[in-house]
Amino acid sequence: FMSKGGEPESFSLTDGFVIVKPGGEGIRNLAEYRTLIYITKATRTYVTQDNGDLPSTWELNSVDDAIGAECHSIARALGSDSSTEDFLIVASRNGLQLFAGTYAERPLSWKIKELWNSIRVDRFNEVEVALDPVNKFIYVAVPTDPDITGPNKIFFADYSEGMDWQNIK
């Protein structure tokens, strides 16, 4: 459900919704980026935008049918200058992704794909991503141990030398 523009506490049960390909998995996350609303399921990403009318009339388009995000797996540099930090970081089953309107060709975690694949797929909803734009660090809490509930490891990345799979450490 979405509220009508300018009325953040008003939700209509008849026309305050955006239908996102019914069936299968449910919606896991939303992220606003460059005035667009990105909606993710576990393995899919869609985009919509407020057209000034009721949410049920907003057009929905597919961004990627193989990359999605769970409930805490999108990070954005909040409160930073948008001219220097204009991207989202998305932890997907395919890897740690840079999103700047589209996903990069290779995930940021390309060099550690074997380590990334140690994340328990059945508990990917427990992955959490945090971004430190001041120090240019990314933290990803992940579950890898079948006997422990919740994340038991933290992947750390330093992007001070570049935000791409070749320069991130």
Side-chain angles (χ1 to χ4, degrees), residues 8-160:
E9 296 179 8
S10 174
F11 295 90
S12 170
L13 295 177
T14 56
D15 51 21
F17 57 89
V18 175
I19 296 177
V20 182
K21 310 282 186 207
E25 58 192 25
I27 293 172
R28 304 287 204 254
N29 209 327
L30 294 171
E32 181 274 330
Y33 180 71
R34 296 184 184 171
T35 72
L36 299 174
I37 300 170
Y38 289 89
I39 302 168
T40 64
K41 292 187 172 190
T43 58
R44 292 178 173 24
T45 303
Y46 304 93
V47 65
T48 191
Q49 184 175 26
D50 185 346
N51 62 9
D53 205 349
L54 299 168
S56 61
T57 67
W58 298 359
E59 185 178 348
L60 183 75
N61 294 301
S62 177
V63 173
D64 198 292
D65 289 333
I67 301 174
E70 291 287 349
C71 59
H72 300 289
S73 59
I74 297 178
R76 180 177 193 161
L78 298 175
S80 68
D81 180 5
S82 63
S83 65
T84 60
E85 300 288 343
D86 190 24
F87 55 82
L88 302 174
I89 299 297
V90 178
S92 77
R93 285 169 171 75
N94 301 340
L96 189 64
Q97 305 281 345
L98 173 64
F99 184 83
T102 60
Y103 292 103
E105 183 178 338
R106 287 192 179 163
L108 297 170
S109 57
W110 180 259
K111 293 178 186 175
I112 61 160
K113 60 184 171 184
E114 292 81 18
L115 187 58
W116 189 267
N117 290 336
S118 71
I119 300 171
R120 293 184 50 93
V121 175
D122 63 325
R123 295 192 11 226
F124 213 88
N125 62 312
E126 298 173 15
V127 172
E128 296 185 41
V129 182
L131 183 63
D132 176 355
V134 175
N135 295 304
K136 301 199 179 294
F137 296 154
I138 302 169
Y139 303 90
V140 186
V142 299
T144 60
D145 190 321
D147 298 324
I148 298 175
T149 302
N152 62 298
K153 290 185 180 173
I154 296 178
F155 295 164
F156 169 81
D158 177 343
Y159 65 96
S160 61

